[in-house]
């Protein structure tokens, strides 16, 4: 490694830092799924069907997430409506 | 009542069997009557690592099916008074292990042993499930590498939800992180996840860090648990881990880059 490369390397994230960042994201995501109740996929599917009665959307335009906040949970529903 | 400790990881090849052999041997060295059970049915290997492969007559599945008694199947270690091995069966029958059968054997062993080490197979199938199901404590063996860390996290989820303790609402399994194949040089160079990184992601108590070491292959080649190689860094690191498992406060060693000695620098010798 010459001197120039040495300084260029410094600016970039190290491979270990990239690994850590990727792991933190995937692990957090998978932990969220792990604690999600079994009915969530079915709930999502039925919600999509109800919304489809009124608006034409794809199933991936509805996101359902359950977030635990201490002694209560928040059911978050995110629907992306098509451009008018 | 024996303490049941599962050695698990999810991912294969990270050092579960090496760790089971080392920790079990370390406990016996400290005077605790210990048995190590190989749960990897069909891919038995603990016997090779322990150096007793030619003395396996009856195995775990024989005992479950009452084809042999525990006394017949337990292999007594030649080196240590308090150490026994229960080999896995080489059958290809995936359903050879049953929960009732494993429970029967563990209950019987509990009466006369202080520690039962369950060497889990890789994966999350039946063998791995039964290895951790009855555990009181878990040693999660992890390499500082993305797939291993992710799989360890998955195992932690299973330990917290699919074990006997979880199902019966008892106190949860005590989880320990054992980081193996650690290379301080590569961590310093930013090529490898550091111990703090893995601790931060998995958020469990650190039991020990085993450095990447030639002594591990050397020991397995000879069928001697690496903890018996007291000169080696890996052997010493395992020894510290056993002390911590028994509740001692021991500082972590082998986390920093070794500075080569004068002679080593002169002649370029490597350990």
């Amino acid at each position: 490694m010459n001197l120039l490369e040495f300084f260029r390397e410094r600016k970039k994230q190290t491979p270990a830092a990239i690994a850590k960042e990727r792991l933190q994201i995937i692990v957090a995501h998978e932990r969220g799924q792990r604690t999600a109740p079994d009915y969530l996929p079915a709930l999502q599917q039925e919600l999509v069907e109800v919304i489809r009665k009124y608006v034409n959307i794809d199933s991936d335009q509805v996101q359902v997430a359950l977030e635990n906040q201490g002694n209560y949970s928040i059911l978050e529903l995110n629907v992306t409506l098509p451009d008018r | 009542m024996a303490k049941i400790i599962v050695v698990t990881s999810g991912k294969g090849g990270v050092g579960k069997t090496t760790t089971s052999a080392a920790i079990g041997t370390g406990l016996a060295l400290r005077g605790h009557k210990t048995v190590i059970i190989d749960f990897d049915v069909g891919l038995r290997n603990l016997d090779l690592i322990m150096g007793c492969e030619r003395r396996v007559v009856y195995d775990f599945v024989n005992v479950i099916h009452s084809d042999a008694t525990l006394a017949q199947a337990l292999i007594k270690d030649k080196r240590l008074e308090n150490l026994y091995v229960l080999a896995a069966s080489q059958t290809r029958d995936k359903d050879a292990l049953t929960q009732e059968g494993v429970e029967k054997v563990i209950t019987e062993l509990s009466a006369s042993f202080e520690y039962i080490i369950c060497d889990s197979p890789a994966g999350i199938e039946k063998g791995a499930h039964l290895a951790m199901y009855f555990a009181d404590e878990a040693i999660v063996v992890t390499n500082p590498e993305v797939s291993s860390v992710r799989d360890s996290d998955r195992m932690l989820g299973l330990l917290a939800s699919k074990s006997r303790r979880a199902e019966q609402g008892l106190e949860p399994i005590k989880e320990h992180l054992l980081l193996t194949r650690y290379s301080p040089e590569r961590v310093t160079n930013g090529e490898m996840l550091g111990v703090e990184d893995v601790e931060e992601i998995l958020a469990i108590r650190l039991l020990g860090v085993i450095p990447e070491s030639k002594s591990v292959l050397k020991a397995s080649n000879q069928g001697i648990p690496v903890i018996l190689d007291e000169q080696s860094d890996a052997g010493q690191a395992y020894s510290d881990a056993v002390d911590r498992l028994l509740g001692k406060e021991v500082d972590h060693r082998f986390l920093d880059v070794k500075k080569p000695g004068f002679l080593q620098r002169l002649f370029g010798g490597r350990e």
Side-chain angles (χ1 to χ4, degrees), chain A residues 15-16 20 24 30-31 34, chain B residues 150 153 190 192 197 200-201:
Chain A
K20 185 180 180 184
Q24 279 172 323
E30 287 176 345
R31 280 184 193 156
R34 211 183 286 159
Chain B
R150 180 200 210 171
D153 190 69
M192 183 183 265
D197 298 332
E200 191 184 325
I201 293 162

Side-chain angles (χ1 to χ4, degrees), chain B residues 231-250:
Chain B
Q231 304 303 314
S232 70
D233 46 0
Q236 290 171 17
Y238 271 118
S239 195
D240 289 355
V242 174
D243 285 335
R244 286 188 205 105
L245 194 63
L246 292 170
K248 262 198 210 169
E249 293 280 339
V250 186

Side-chain angles (χ1 to χ4, degrees), chain B residues 187-203:
Chain B
V187 173
T188 308
N189 292 339
E191 298 169 25
M192 183 183 265
L193 288 164
V195 57
E196 295 88 2
D197 298 332
V198 182
E199 272 187 283
E200 191 184 325
I201 293 162
L202 295 179

Side-chain angles (χ1 to χ4, degrees), chain B residues 15 42 80 85 93 103 126 146 180 185 196 201 227 231 240:
Chain B
L80 292 171
V85 170
D93 176 12
E103 185 168 18
K126 197 166 186 183
V146 287
T180 56
E185 292 82 7
E196 295 88 2
I201 293 162
I227 199 167
Q231 304 303 314
D240 289 355

Side-chain angles (χ1 to χ4, degrees), chain A residues 22-37 66, chain B residues 124 146-158 161 201-202:
Chain A
R22 291 175 61 217
L23 270 169
Q24 279 172 323
I25 293 166
I26 192 68
V27 162
H29 177 73
E30 287 176 345
R31 280 184 193 156
Q33 284 185 334
R34 211 183 286 159
T35 49
L66 196 69
Chain B
I124 51 172
V146 287
S147 49
S148 176
V149 176
R150 180 200 210 171
D151 290 359
S152 292
D153 190 69
R154 181 111 170 78
M155 279 318 301
L156 290 171
L158 294 174
S161 63
I201 293 162
L202 295 179

